[in-house]
Amino acid sequence: MLDIIYWPVSAILWFWHKAFGFVFGADSGLAWSLAIVFLVFTLRLVLYKPFVKQVRTTKQMQELQPQIKELQKKYKNDRETMAREMQKLQKDHGFNPLMGCLPVLVQVPVFLGLFHVLRSFNRTGHGFGQLGLTPEENANLGNYIFSAHDVQSFLSARIFGAPIAAFITAPTNELEGFADWGGTPTRLSIALVAVPLMVIAGLATHFNARASVQRQTPEAAANPQAAIMNKLSLWVFPLGVMVGGPFLMIGILIYWVANNIWTYGQQHLVFGRMEKEEEEKKAKKLELRAQNAPKPGAKPVDVRKKQDAPAADDSSANGTAATNGTPKQSAKQGGQRRPGGQKRPGNRGRANQKRKR
């Protein structure tokens, strides 16, 4: 059912093993380890753009937190309306929650595919998913795109004396499957390789989570759901790697370490570029302000006065036209107005002059 995942994963692993096997030898543990590492790098390179989209989506989600809280407060008694308004808010801002989960959704089947392919190099076990083959049958049976010769090469590969497909809690009969291909490994030799990888994987998981949490806004960190996820990613997930490490093959631990190393470097690269973009945006805004600002020593121009000036000119012109009438028109006026609004008699000055005479 999952062959659609197993075949591509085995093909990528086969390609990188052939490349590094040409340099270090086909049976070299270093060649097989580097093949697993570059399988991770190939996957993460394909997922680079979705990862950038995920980071931008997460940042956009943090910026929308105040508006989301307002909608939750406003429609707390109407979940249907709240969901509709949430969708509208996300659509208006071009927010796609699926893009934030895409890299993780893709990595999970690849992790399971790699786990199955590596486990299928040694099918001598009798547990779940195992075929219970004899060591001879297992060594002469191909593994997806890998031939029987490749299977024998993988069984012969060692990292400091430990097979890549071995794990600390492996049953004894599975460890005996390596006997004809480099000897039966001891649990101590496996632990000496697996335990450091477990510690590195746990620390890398913790520091990657810490880098993500430190970049969160205070509003996003105050969200109860985000606070729970932060604690899980900071402490529970790294502890899970340490607890589950004895049950994981050395090849899977190599995958985990390589994946975390890539994540750590990619986060710094992507967040560094985003911070640079923010600085460039701020610099452009400051530049526009500087261009619109008056020059030193120049009197600032009030745009509103310019807009009001034509209206004032029109009113003054109308007033001048009204007062500068013809002599006849001014003579016909009944007299000047008193402060109370009453007209003064027109012959008031003449009567006074006759009395003086």
Side-chain angles (χ1 to χ4, degrees), residues 171-185:
T172 304
N173 62 328
E174 288 191 30
L175 295 179
E176 291 175 352
F178 299 99
D180 296 335
W181 315 101
T184 303

Side-chain angles (χ1 to χ4, degrees), residues 256-277:
W256 199 284
V257 171
N259 190 53
N260 278 280
I261 290 173
W262 179 279
T263 301
Y264 190 80
Q266 186 173 255
Q267 277 186 347
H268 281 272
L269 176 65
V270 173
F271 282 112
R273 286 185 177 179
M274 292 180 65
E275 289 174 0
K276 189 176 180 181
E277 290 176 1

Side-chain angles (χ1 to χ4, degrees), residues 160-289:
F160 301 107
I164 296 177
F167 53 99
I168 297 174
T169 58
T172 304
N173 62 328
E174 288 191 30
L175 295 179
E176 291 175 352
F178 299 99
D180 296 335
W181 315 101
T184 303
T186 63
R187 297 189 189 278
L188 178 61
S189 63
I190 299 172
L192 289 175
V193 178
V195 171
L197 289 173
M198 289 160 50
V199 174
I200 295 171
L203 290 174
T205 304
H206 172 77
F207 283 110
N208 280 334
R210 176 176 287 186
S212 299
V213 171
Q214 288 176 348
R215 291 185 176 93
Q216 289 181 352
T217 60
E219 294 80 7
N223 189 353
Q225 295 179 353
I228 294 172
M229 287 303 300
N230 291 341
K231 290 181 180 179
L232 289 174
S233 58
L234 281 171
W235 307 109
V236 177
F237 294 161
L239 184 61
V241 177
M242 299 292 294
V243 173
F247 302 92
L248 298 176
M249 302 175 209
I250 291 176
I252 294 296
L253 294 174
I254 293 173
Y255 169 89
W256 199 284
V257 171
N259 190 53
N260 278 280
I261 290 173
W262 179 279
T263 301
Y264 190 80
Q266 186 173 255
Q267 277 186 347
H268 281 272
L269 176 65
V270 173
F271 282 112
R273 286 185 177 179
M274 292 180 65
E275 289 174 0
K276 189 176 180 181
E277 290 176 1
E278 292 293 331
E279 291 176 358
E280 289 177 355
K281 288 180 181 179
K282 290 180 181 179
K284 286 182 180 179
K285 288 181 180 180
L286 292 174
E287 187 178 351
L288 289 174
R289 284 185 184 179

Side-chain angles (χ1 to χ4, degrees), residues 18-74:
K18 293 299 180 183
F20 290 109
F22 180 78
V23 179
F24 301 106
D27 298 342
S28 170
L30 181 60
W32 281 103
S33 300
L34 289 175
I36 295 172
V37 170
F38 276 80
L39 167 68
V40 176
F41 291 172
T42 303
L43 168 68
R44 297 305 300 271
L45 189 62
V46 172
L47 293 176
Y48 177 75
K49 287 188 177 180
F51 176 81
V52 175
K53 186 67 175 178
Q54 175 193 13
V55 173
R56 295 187 183 278
T57 300
T58 304
K59 186 178 179 182
Q60 192 177 17
M61 184 69 180
Q62 294 175 1
E63 293 174 352
L64 293 177
Q65 280 299 317
Q67 300 181 44
I68 291 174
K69 287 183 178 180
E70 289 181 4
L71 291 176
Q72 290 174 345
K73 185 178 179 179
K74 184 176 180 181

Side-chain angles (χ1 to χ4, degrees), residues 118-144:
L118 292 181
R119 193 182 184 190
S120 297
F121 279 107
N122 186 1
R123 293 148 289 189
T124 57
H126 296 278
F128 177 76
Q130 289 288 350
L131 300 179
L133 303 177
T134 64
E136 292 77 14
E137 290 174 339
N138 178 67
N140 292 285
L141 183 65
N143 180 22
Y144 292 98

